[in-house]
Amino acid sequence: MKVSIITVCFNSSATIEQTILSVLHQTYPNIEYIVKDGASTDSTINIIEKYVPRFGGRLRFISEKDSGIYDAMNRGLQMAGGDIIGILNSDDVLANNDVIEKIVSRFRRDPVDAVYADLVFRDEKTLTQTTRRFVAGEYSTRLAWHPPHPTLYLSRKVYEETGHFDTRFTIAADYDLMLRVIRSGRYKWAYLKEDIVFMRDGGASTGGIRSYWKSFNDSIQVMKKNKIRFPYLVNLIRTLKFFYQKFILR
């Protein structure tokens, strides 16, 4: 099975090398790595180009202006040729070298359409200190549940049938996509009960009061679009759970 991993970036020179290395060092051989750059003006492009030869033709790279992170992800999806597709942010890393091998093994065990796992938030500068964990738990449709998006790997047919990211949402388009997939009821999910991604704490949806507020409002609109009952109450519960995990269970 071929796995496409998509990384989108813009002026990510401080972090993208670690991201690339975490893909390069994977033990699973049949990986297509797609890097979609938004016409960076720092040294991001130079870093990517440095690693192209080391992937032996498995890294596909394009740099062009886009309309934001989800437009860039959609362009990456259009380039993807894998049977399984995952998205790794340019400031995140795969937690160990056999992550993709384990994901593919789970897809093969008894055919599933989606595999997800747990996520560890690390300090923004060094990625060495854990600040909190996102324990996804078993598949559920209660309270607009969703897995941590950076750990989610979907079969190609899911994207073909469900569609790509809705770029009207600037922070929560990944949440919208996951809700569409979950609420369709058509797909079989599998949970890997282990940490597979280290994510820097402080990104677009996790850093600062303004980001929290924007994410909250975007999530409300996503819930309304997906016909979630009592969206304000549900989102309040989700937000309280987030702060509990971040500041009490750290």
Side-chain angles (χ1 to χ4, degrees):
M1 301 178 80
K2 184 177 183 179
V3 179
S4 295
I5 301 176
I6 300 168
T7 294
V8 304
C9 56
F10 177 71
N11 288 348
S12 303
S13 60
T15 61
I16 195 167
E17 188 163 26
Q18 285 181 294
T19 304
I20 293 171
L21 285 170
S22 77
V23 177
L24 179 63
H25 292 155
Q26 289 300 301
T27 55
Y28 188 75
N30 197 7
I31 294 175
E32 169 192 65
Y33 190 30
I34 296 168
V35 182
K36 165 61 183 77
D37 175 72
S40 290
T41 56
D42 64 358
S43 60
T44 297
I45 295 174
N46 293 334
I47 294 170
I48 298 167
E49 289 178 338
K50 180 176 73 172
Y51 284 98
V52 169
R54 295 186 61 181
F55 276 84
R58 296 183 298 123
L59 193 160
R60 300 173 62 194
F61 164 55
I62 185 172
S63 181
E64 62 183 9
K65 290 186 177 181
D66 52 58
S67 300
I69 186 170
Y70 294 114
D71 177 43
M73 287 181 182
N74 284 340
R75 297 186 192 199
L77 287 170
Q78 291 169 358
M79 296 171 63
D83 307 294
I84 302 167
I85 301 173
I87 294 176
L88 183 67
N89 298 324
S90 63
D91 51 1
D92 302 340
V93 300
L94 298 172
N96 51 65
N97 294 346
D98 62 355
V99 164
I100 303 303
E101 196 167 337
K102 290 178 179 178
I103 289 169
V104 172
S105 176
R106 190 62 190 87
F107 267 98
R108 284 174 169 162
R109 189 182 310 168
D110 50 19
V112 295
D113 306 296
V115 172
Y116 65 96
D118 297 333
L119 175 73
V120 177
F121 287 85
R122 293 276 179 97
D123 65 287
E124 189 173 4
K125 290 186 178 180
T126 67
L127 267 183
T128 57
Q129 182 178 353
T130 297
T131 57
R132 61 189 175 96
R133 297 181 69 236
F134 188 154
V135 179
E138 296 293 341
Y139 175 83
S140 171
T141 57
R142 298 179 61 188
L143 286 179
W145 172 92
H146 67 92
H149 183 244
T151 74
L152 178 61
Y153 285 75
L154 298 173
S155 67
R156 165 178 289 280
K157 78 168 187 177
V158 175
Y159 283 109
E160 291 173 346
E161 296 173 357
T162 307
H164 292 176
F165 294 96
D166 186 339
T167 56
R168 291 176 296 177
F169 303 112
T170 58
I171 288 183
D174 51 349
Y175 182 36
D176 169 63
L177 174 69
M178 290 186 287
L179 282 186
R180 281 187 277 133
V181 175
I182 292 165
R183 291 178 67 79
S184 73
R186 295 197 297 252
Y187 306 110
K188 185 175 180 180
W189 294 67
Y191 173 41
L192 287 178
K193 194 175 182 180
E194 60 180 274
D195 305 325
I196 68 167
V197 173
F198 295 151
M199 180 178 185
R200 282 180 169 82
D201 207 350
S205 61
T206 63
I209 297 300
R210 293 182 65 181
S211 292
Y212 293 138
W213 181 245
K214 175 60 178 171
S215 180
F216 185 91
N217 286 330
D218 249 25
S219 296
I220 290 292
Q221 299 308 312
V222 164
M223 289 183 187
K224 289 180 177 179
K225 174 188 172 184
N226 288 278
K227 298 180 171 56
I228 301 294
R229 297 181 64 189
F230 312 115
Y232 288 95
L233 176 60
V234 170
N235 207 29
L236 179 60
I237 293 171
R238 290 176 68 246
T239 303
L240 291 174
K241 181 180 178 181
F242 166 80
F243 280 105
Y244 177 74
Q245 291 178 335
K246 183 173 178 66
F247 297 109
I248 298 177
L249 293 183
R250 57 186 302 166

